[in-house]
Each structure stands twice: as structure tokens, then as C-alpha cells.
Amino acid sequence: MADPETPATNQGPVIISSSSSERAPIIYFDGASCFGHHNGAIQIELAANLLMPVGAAVRVDVVQTAHLRCSVAAALALREALDKALAMYQQGQKQPVAEEIPVVKN
């Protein structure tokens, strides 16, 4: 029997239906407000900050933007995708700064 915590390694190419791509919601979040598991499902609550004016001041309200539920295998796949995206981001930050062209005075 396959281990439910290990993603299958030989699944072949994944084809995403073009009819679902345009309808998928974009979920923005500033953090994960809480997490846990229940009956084998990973549970993560995503939250975003709202800035609310209060007179001359600003109050920060935190609102839930998504309730993420997935299998352990899907959570591992998501973690791998996040790790790879962060590595790509860090690699882009290490790009050498363009050399300045010296000013020539005649």
C-alpha cells in the first residue's frame, strides 16, 4: 500500500483544464493566522490585514481570506512549490548590479 504522506513520483504530466484557469480565484494573504489537522486533512487559515481609518489614526483589522484544506501529500507538494518559488526569488535578488557607465569629460 502506498504511503499517504509521500507524493507519488511517477504520475506523468499534469494537464490543467483551460476552462478552469480563468475562473480560479486569486487569494492574497499576509500570513497564516492558525493551522492544524483533522481526520487526516491539513487545515490552514490564511489572513490579510485591512487598514481602517479611525479619526487621524489607523487601526489594523485582520480578516480571513481563505480556509485551506488538503491532504498530507498535497501539503508536501505545496511546501515544495513554495520552497522552489522562494529559491527563485532569492536567486533573482543576487543578480549582479549593472556596471555604471563612467562620465567622460573632454
Side-chain angles (χ1 to χ4, degrees), residues 1 9 15 20 24 28 36-37 45-46 54 57-58 67-68 75 87 91:
M1 182 171 184
T9 56
I15 299 172
S20 67
Y28 178 84
H37 64 91
E45 308 305 324
L46 303 179
V54 179
V58 174
H67 309 284
L68 183 61
Q91 184 65 29

Side-chain angles (χ1 to χ4, degrees), residues 33-76:
S33 60
C34 56
F35 56 88
H37 64 91
H38 182 67
N39 287 336
I42 301 299
Q43 301 176 324
I44 303 172
E45 308 305 324
L46 303 179
N49 299 331
L50 293 180
L51 302 179
M52 305 299 293
V54 179
V58 174
R59 180 183 79 228
V60 178
D61 285 349
V62 178
V63 297
Q64 298 297 120
T65 58
H67 309 284
L68 183 61
R69 302 294 185 267
C70 61
S71 67
V72 171
L76 291 169

Side-chain angles (χ1 to χ4, degrees), residues 11-21:
Q11 294 178 351
V14 175
I15 299 172
I16 298 173
S17 171
S18 61
S19 66
S20 67
S21 299

